[in-house]
Each structure stands twice: as C-alpha cells, then as structure tokens.
Amino acid sequence: MSAFLAWIATLPALAQIPLVLLAFFVVIALLIFFIEIAPRSGRKYTIIRAAACVLIPTFIFLTLGSVYWAAGAAAVFGGLFFILDYRSKQGAGYLFQLVGFMSPAIFLLAIGLIYPTIQTTIQAFMNSRGTRFVGLDNFIWIFTQDTGIRTVLNTVVWVLIVPTVSTIFGLAYAVFIDKSRGEKIFKVLVFMPMAISFVGASIIWRFVYAVRPAGQEQIGLLNQIVVWMGGQPVDWISNSPWNTFFLIVVLIWIQTGFAMVILSAAIKGVPAEQLEAAELDGTNAWQRFINVTVPGIRSSLVVVLTTISIASLKVFDIVRTMTAGANETSVIANEMYSQWQGFEVGRSAAFAVVLFIMVLPIVVYNARQIAKQREIR
C-alpha cells in the first residue's frame, strides 16, 4: 500500500485530480450498491453479491499488491452481506440503509482511529525499530526508570488538580454572576482564554513567569510584583516540583471558562419552583445550593469533570511550549513525542498505551452516566 501511495505522490498534480475523482465515484458507486442492490432478494442479486465478494478483493489485491488487505476486504464484505441477508429475513431491512449511509464514516473511523490504535498497541511490544518482539520490556522500562515514573506521576497530578479546581472555580463564578447585571460581560471575560490555543496561552504565561537576574528590569509580571514587594526574582518554571503546579495554572486558566459556561447553562435549567420551595422551608443560600442546585446540575458536572480530565491526561502543548519536559515537568503525551523523536518507537507506543489505559475508565464512566440518563428519560 505504501508503494502505491508513493507512486501516486510522484504523479503531477494534474494527473492526481482524475484519481481523486475516480475514488469519489467509486465511493458513490459503493453507496448505491449497498442501498439499492445488495439488500434485494432473488437469484440475480445473490449472484451480484457473490461476484462483488470476489471482484472487490481482487481489485484491492491488484491495486495494493497485498494479500492481507484483500483477505480483510473479502471477510468484511462477506460478513456484511450475510448480516444484510439475515436482517432482511427478520423484517429489519432498514439496516442496509444505516450501513450504507454510515459506511463512509465507519471507513474513516477505521482508518484514522481503529487501525492506528491496533498498530500502536503492537508497536508497544516491539523494539525501537519495530523489528523484534520484546514483550513487556518497554512497559517495564517506563515503571522502573525515574524519568518514566516521574512522567506518570506528573500526569496523575494534572488529572487530579485541573478538573477539580477548574470545576470549582467555574461553578462558583457561574453561581455568583447568575442573573446579575452585566452577566454576559462577566462570562465573556472568563471564557476568553478558551478562544486562545494552548500554545498561545503558554506563550502568554511564559511572559508572566519570565525571570531576569536580580538588579535588572523584570519583564515577567509575577517577578515584577515580587520585586516591588521587596523580594528576589524567582525562576518559577525551573524549580521542581513547584514548576509543575505553575504549568497546571495555565490549563486551569483555560478550562475554567469552559466549566463556567456549561454549569451556568445548567444552573438556569434548575426549576425555580424547587428553589422557592426550599426557601419557604427556611433553608439558607448554601443549603439551597447543596441540596437543590448541585443535584439539579449533576449530569453537567459529570460532563465537565470528565471532559477536563481527558484534556488534562492528554495535555501536550503547554508542557512542550513552556519547558519541553525539562526540570521534571514532562507528562505522558510529551514523553511519548520525545521518545518518538529519539527513534524509540516502542517506548513511545508504550507511553501511548499507558495513556489510553488511563483515559479508558473516564470514558467508560461517562458512557455509563449517559446510559443512566437515557433510562431516566
């Protein structure tokens, strides 16, 4: 397949245009085939389906020169036709329409997500060149080296602090400005960092943390304040372990706006009758918040916490831009890139698998919460 793609890349731009158009028409033809021809019953259409199961893998083999791709295509098409035939006999012929319309998205998902996931998992058990199976050596290296352990611990610290602090700040801000004069302006001020890329935010905060030797004019806001108060300049992002917390501040600054917007919308959805009833029962503002508002926005809190947790787990831009992982600030995503850059493909893939395992429980929990909400509805 790589040779075929390399051959396409060598063609002139004008020669590549017909190939792109041909690929487009092939996809359209496959959609029409699945929607109009494949689901129909009768000997003629059975022969057509059987021919498709032979011709399509043959075409893939002749084009890509790979037996594995051809065998995979034959298995996929054969299984798909079997499902269509079985479902149509059960009176559920609508399935072919779903498959027909979803097939482009499913194909892109398989190429862009499923295949790289499988490939990365396999590489995690291979050596640096990907030529020899080494078992769990890459994972053992991660959890026995000080660098690997520090990287994992830093990631855990990020995922514990950022979602908690961002959600608390966002929720408190949403409650305090709710139904206040100038609410829209207050929301815009806090939400503005969300419009900045992680790299842009990191550059802004590098100026905030910038340091110059004592006696020189400070260009960093934080050190200028320290000097005004009679202190000495501090290299904030070089002193471990506190430098990790100063990097965490950047992501909190960004994600607080996201939490505020989601939770503010959820607070406005809490029935006013419940708040009024609680007030008539003699409860104070804090009791109404804990016993009425928080239970009413629980689903939104789950969404905010899980979303920010995943963002914290895969944080890369902030660390890479501000410290490049130096001074014990590296996280899994940054270390994964650093190992790949150093041609340690196996270790890089192992870090990716560890990150996937850490994200998986959050995704599963979020999916279960969504399922429970559907059951309630």
Side-chain angles (χ1 to χ4, degrees):
M1 183 175 182
S2 58
F4 177 72
L5 295 176
W7 174 74
I8 293 178
T10 59
L11 296 176
L14 292 177
Q16 294 181 19
I17 294 176
L19 293 177
V20 174
L21 293 176
L22 177 62
F24 173 78
F25 287 120
V26 167
V27 172
I28 296 298
L30 287 174
L31 286 175
I32 295 174
F33 175 80
F34 280 113
I35 294 173
E36 296 294 336
I37 298 176
R40 296 188 180 184
S41 59
R43 180 178 298 179
K44 178 175 66 174
Y45 296 105
T46 302
I47 295 174
I48 293 175
R49 287 194 293 268
C53 287
V54 175
L55 293 177
I56 293 176
T58 302
F59 174 78
I60 292 176
F61 174 75
L62 294 176
T63 304
L64 304 180
S66 173
V67 177
Y68 300 107
W69 281 95
V76 169
F77 281 102
L80 185 58
F81 291 141
F82 174 81
I83 293 174
L84 290 174
D85 284 340
Y86 178 79
R87 296 291 291 178
S88 62
K89 292 177 182 178
Q90 299 296 320
Y94 66 88
L95 181 64
F96 77 89
Q97 298 180 3
L98 179 63
V99 173
F101 286 113
M102 292 291 291
S103 55
I106 294 173
F107 175 76
L108 293 175
L109 184 66
I111 297 299
L113 182 61
I114 298 175
Y115 175 71
T117 301
I118 297 173
Q119 187 180 37
T120 301
T121 304
I122 294 173
Q123 288 178 344
F125 298 94
M126 307 295 285
N127 63 354
S128 60
R129 297 176 179 267
T131 58
R132 181 170 55 86
F133 180 78
V134 295
L136 298 175
D137 287 357
N138 293 321
F139 296 95
I140 293 173
W141 179 87
I142 292 175
F143 292 102
T144 55
Q145 299 294 319
D146 292 339
T147 302
I149 295 174
R150 170 60 61 182
T151 297
V152 175
L153 290 177
N154 284 343
T155 305
V156 173
V157 170
W158 277 78
V159 79
L160 289 177
I161 295 178
V162 175
T164 304
V165 177
S166 298
T167 303
I168 292 174
F169 285 173
L171 179 59
Y173 194 82
V175 171
F176 290 144
I177 68 171
D178 186 44
K179 299 178 182 178
S180 65
R181 183 178 299 178
E183 178 182 356
K184 294 181 179 179
I185 297 176
F186 295 146
K187 286 183 177 179
V188 168
L189 291 176
V190 176
F191 189 74
M192 280 180 63
M194 280 292 296
I196 305 175
S197 68
F198 281 12
V199 174
S202 302
I203 293 173
I204 292 173
W205 280 88
R206 282 194 66 176
F207 282 111
V208 174
Y209 294 143
V211 59
R212 284 184 174 180
Q216 297 186 13
E217 183 180 0
Q218 299 297 321
I219 62 172
L221 174 63
L222 199 56
N223 273 311
Q224 185 61 63
I225 295 174
V226 170
V227 171
W228 282 341
M229 296 178 66
Q232 294 295 318
V234 179
D235 194 351
W236 305 99
I237 58 177
S238 295
N239 298 326
S240 177
W242 302 108
N243 49 6
T244 296
F245 295 97
F246 289 116
L247 298 186
I248 287 174
V249 169
V250 181
L251 189 56
I252 293 174
W253 180 65
I254 296 172
Q255 295 295 333
T256 297
F258 166 75
M260 180 270 300
V261 169
I262 301 299
L263 296 176
S264 177
I267 289 171
K268 293 184 182 302
V270 176
E273 295 81 3
Q274 294 182 5
L275 294 171
E276 292 173 359
E279 186 175 1
L280 292 174
D281 289 339
T283 58
N284 56 35
W286 174 253
Q287 290 173 333
R288 290 195 297 272
F289 173 73
I290 293 297
N291 297 315
V292 179
T293 303
V294 172
I297 63 172
R298 184 178 182 278
S299 59
S300 298
L301 282 171
V302 171
V303 170
V304 170
L305 283 170
T306 53
T307 302
I308 300 179
S309 296
I310 294 174
S312 304
L313 280 171
K314 61 187 183 68
V315 65
F316 168 78
D317 313 63
I318 295 173
V319 175
R320 196 69 193 177
T321 303
M322 298 189 71
T323 64
N327 301 313
E328 299 183 347
T329 59
S330 188
V331 291
I332 290 180
N334 178 74
E335 195 64 27
M336 180 175 63
Y337 174 77
S338 298
Q339 293 295 329
W340 174 82
Q341 195 177 37
F343 302 101
E344 292 289 346
V345 180
R347 293 176 182 175
S348 175
F351 273 111
V353 172
V354 171
L355 182 61
F356 175 76
I357 293 173
M358 294 176 70
V359 171
L360 195 58
I362 301 175
V363 175
V364 172
Y365 174 76
N366 202 10
R368 288 184 176 179
Q369 293 301 315
I370 293 173
K372 289 181 180 179
Q373 294 175 19
R374 289 178 178 175
E375 291 176 0
I376 295 174
R377 293 176 184 176

